[in-house]
Amino acid sequence: MRVLQGVMFALAMICTLLVPVLGSFELVGQSIKDALAEYTLTDIMNNNQFAGIEFGEAEDGFPAFRFLQTADVKSPYRMLLPEKLYEFAILITFRQSSLKGGYLFSVVNPLDTVVQLGVHLSPVVKNSYNVSLVYTQADQNTGRKLASFGVAHAPDKWNSIALQVLSDKVSFYYDCELRNTTLVTREPIELVFDSASTLYIGQAGSIIGGKFEGYLEKINTPTLRVAALNEPSTGDLQGIRGADFACYRQGRRAGLLGTFKAFLSSRVQNLDTIVRPADRDLPVVNTRGDVLFNSWKGIFNGQGGFFSQAPRIYSFSGKNVMTDSTWPMKMVWHGSLPNGERSMDTYCDAWHSGDHLKGSFASNLDGHKLLEQKRQSCDSKLIILCVEALSQDRKRKKREIGDGSSHGESESREFKTADEYAAHLENLLL
Ligand SMILES: *[C@@H]1O[C@H](CO)[C@@H](O)[C@H](O)[C@H]1NC(C)=O
Ligand SMILES: *[C@@H]1O[C@H](CO)[C@@H](O)[C@H](O)[C@H]1NC(C)=O
């Protein structure tokens, strides 16, 4: 229950904070790998290659895609989504230009006959329509509406909806207010996609149809991503700044443009505070989008940071740290107490020491916990994790459409030294 409230709160927060920047998705320059982990589904239109799409503006001045009747936007779903979904949220900003409804997006089986996951708008009847979450396992032969929510129709209005899907409920937010929560039964609880499924935007394929006419600003799911540095390290990381900078550099090299920071406490920071306050209720995912923790805050609830399932953590280079021999010890440095408070005497001289006689707290991931209190000597070579200090959504800047090279301001800034990056982080996290 606490988790649920946390997530609801998170969505409410996202709305308050994000309304001005909703829709500022990556139009260009974002690698598929990056998009995958944050599910910005509208990214498949990046290359401007689809007919029946016009570029327009949303009410906040951000770019939007206009879907005409002739639009046919699709992509193999694996380009943008993970193979399974467990708990997740979907945020969509749209404006209808017809009363006939349709699919805002869908993932459809290889025969194009069953919508596995999608958000559908019913036709408008008596000035209202239903927003439905369609959710169907791969072995079923008809699509199932898992939950439906009624909305009053207003012509030419921009609408922002969010669906939060938890193990046993679906919550619906409309224009940033929680409207309703429906109890659901999901069996099995994970949605596993057929590997040859197709992701459609603004329709559900040639057989099911359901073409949406109107504008889409964006479809995405905000998260905080976690990745490991490509090599294990002793407690000598050239200080917290050195570690943060390594996260930044390796993330960039991997095409992940998030603001990564080392998952370590330090002389000046408690571990729970390295993520921006507004983002602490967001789910924490690996670089493939699998949920590791339902919320950042939840890691520090004092129970030792239990993973919601067996940890699958990948390095920036894409190796699974739990199975790859690059990391002989499956332990993570953190230097923190269970509540996120820094452990002053046990963090390898503020991450400057690889001395056998000194120590820091680490956690053995084999125990499925991230904040286990195991003292390790600083010459041990352990896993270093990096986490996004803020969700990608927060720092997006308005950008021009059609310019194949432009990047958002914050993404295009390159930091040459650890000090430069530290100053940037400090500014961001104020
Ligand atoms: C919305 O769904 C409810 C329940 O399924 C149904 O009774 C109602 O007619 C639907 N409304 C529209 C506009 O389709
Ligand atoms: C919430 O959903 C239930 C069941 O679908 C419905 O009866 C109720 O009127 C809805 N509440 C609101 C505030 O829309």
Side-chain angles (χ1 to χ4, degrees):
M1 204 53 209
R2 233 189 9 245
V3 169
L4 177 66
Q5 279 160 359
V7 172
M8 285 177 171
F9 174 72
L11 281 174
M13 290 284 287
I14 291 161
C15 276
T16 358
L17 294 164
L18 274 191
V19 162
V21 290
L22 270 178
S24 40
F25 46 78
E26 301 286 325
L27 277 167
V28 287
Q30 186 185 38
S31 70
I32 284 161
K33 205 155 93 196
D34 190 21
L36 179 152
E38 58 161 1
Y39 320 142
T40 302
L41 303 191
T42 35
D43 276 351
I44 67 174
M45 288 174 283
N46 279 0
N47 302 333
N48 207 347
Q49 66 203 4
F50 294 102
I53 297 288
E54 286 176 359
F55 295 106
E57 258 191 14
E59 61 184 344
D60 49 19
F62 285 104
F65 298 102
R66 179 171 184 197
F67 282 70
L68 306 175
Q69 186 59 45
T70 51
D72 185 20
V73 178
K74 62 183 167 194
S75 156
Y77 93 94
R78 278 301 277 158
M79 305 265 286
L80 286 155
L81 284 167
E83 62 186 302
K84 300 178 194 179
L85 284 175
Y86 174 54
E87 294 188 324
F88 55 97
I90 303 165
L91 271 73
I92 307 177
T93 313
F94 67 94
R95 187 180 122 190
Q96 305 201 62
S97 48
S98 93
L99 299 178
K100 66 188 175 61
Y103 279 91
L104 295 176
F105 82 93
S106 63
V107 179
V108 184
N109 70 343
L111 295 176
D112 251 6
T113 52
V114 181
V115 174
Q116 283 206 265
L117 178 71
V119 172
H120 179 260
L121 308 180
S122 75
V124 175
V125 177
K126 291 189 194 138
N127 274 325
S128 84
Y129 61 98
N130 287 328
V131 176
S132 303
L133 177 72
V134 181
Y135 179 105
T136 322
Q137 290 302 339
D139 57 356
Q140 302 293 302
N141 45 30
T142 46
R144 173 183 173 211
K145 286 186 178 160
L146 189 66
S148 286
F149 303 95
V151 173
H153 173 72
D156 296 329
K157 180 183 179 304
W158 278 96
N159 308 280
S160 113
I161 59 172
L163 290 153
Q164 171 74 41
V165 183
L166 298 177
S167 56
D168 59 347
K169 4 181 122 59
V170 179
S171 294
F172 177 68
Y173 292 75
Y174 181 73
D175 285 353
C176 297
E177 273 174 31
L178 175 63
R179 281 294 185 86
N180 215 335
T181 296
T182 307
L183 292 178
V184 296
T185 313
R186 292 163 60 194
E187 264 183 49
I189 214 149
E190 271 188 334
L191 181 63
V192 182
F193 295 112
D194 190 307
S195 60
S197 299
T198 306
L199 167 67
Y200 291 98
I201 310 283
Q203 60 161 324
S206 56
I207 296 174
I208 301 167
K211 283 212 173 170
F212 163 81
E213 275 180 72
Y215 295 82
L216 273 172
E217 201 180 341
K218 75 156 176 188
I219 304 176
N220 86 345
T221 70
T223 54
L224 296 170
R225 292 172 296 176
V226 163
L229 287 185
N230 297 334
E231 306 278 338
S233 172
T234 66
D236 182 6
L237 287 151
Q238 299 173 30
I240 193 74
R241 288 184 172 201
D244 286 346
F245 194 52
C247 289
Y248 164 74
R249 269 190 327 209
Q250 292 191 14
R252 234 183 133 82
R253 214 171 296 148
L256 300 179
L257 298 174
T259 308
F260 285 94
K261 229 175 141 359
F263 182 83
L264 295 170
S265 66
S266 72
R267 208 187 300 280
V268 293
Q269 81 186 7
N270 287 337
L271 189 52
D272 59 326
T273 63
I274 67 175
V275 164
R276 189 145 105 164
D279 289 346
R280 290 178 195 162
D281 286 291
L282 292 178
V284 179
V285 302
N286 65 20
T287 45
R288 305 197 176 174
D290 306 316
V291 175
L292 301 173
F293 297 99
N294 291 331
S295 75
W296 170 257
K297 260 186 195 160
I299 299 174
F300 307 99
N301 63 7
Q303 321 261 300
F306 264 107
F307 286 89
S308 51
Q309 49 193 316
R312 274 171 294 177
I313 298 179
Y314 301 92
S315 62
F316 285 111
S317 54
K319 293 178 177 165
N320 182 339
V321 301
M322 297 306 289
T323 54
D324 198 282
S325 59
T326 308
W327 297 268
M329 296 181 77
K330 305 305 176 192
M331 295 187 80
V332 169
W333 286 125
H334 58 76
S336 168
L337 300 176
N339 63 359
E341 211 176 300
R342 53 194 181 269
S343 157
M344 278 303 207
D345 47 347
T346 41
Y347 59 124
C348 298
D349 281 348
W351 310 109
H352 282 287
S353 168
D355 189 335
H356 180 69
L357 297 175
K358 297 198 165 144
S360 170
F361 282 144
S363 186
N364 189 345
L365 296 181
D366 282 327
H368 294 193
K369 277 164 110 180
L370 186 55
L371 286 182
E372 194 189 15
Q373 305 287 294
K374 264 220 163 114
R375 207 188 138 94
Q376 284 294 120
S377 62
C378 295
D379 60 347
S380 319
K381 287 197 146 187
L382 308 187
I383 299 163
I384 310 295
L385 295 182
C386 304
V387 62
E388 279 181 295
L390 65 165
S391 159
Q392 286 259 309
D393 268 318
R394 305 273 198 247
K395 59 181 173 57
R396 299 265 173 80
K397 299 283 191 306
K398 182 175 178 177
R399 63 196 61 206
E400 297 305 315
I401 291 180
D403 171 355
S405 65
S406 75
H407 278 254
E409 208 182 285
S410 58
E411 277 104 6
S412 64
R413 264 184 78 186
E414 270 219 57
F415 303 100
K416 299 261 186 295
T417 66
D419 286 347
E420 260 178 53
Y421 190 56
H424 171 69
L425 286 174
E426 220 163 278
N427 266 334
L428 273 179
L429 296 172
L430 277 182

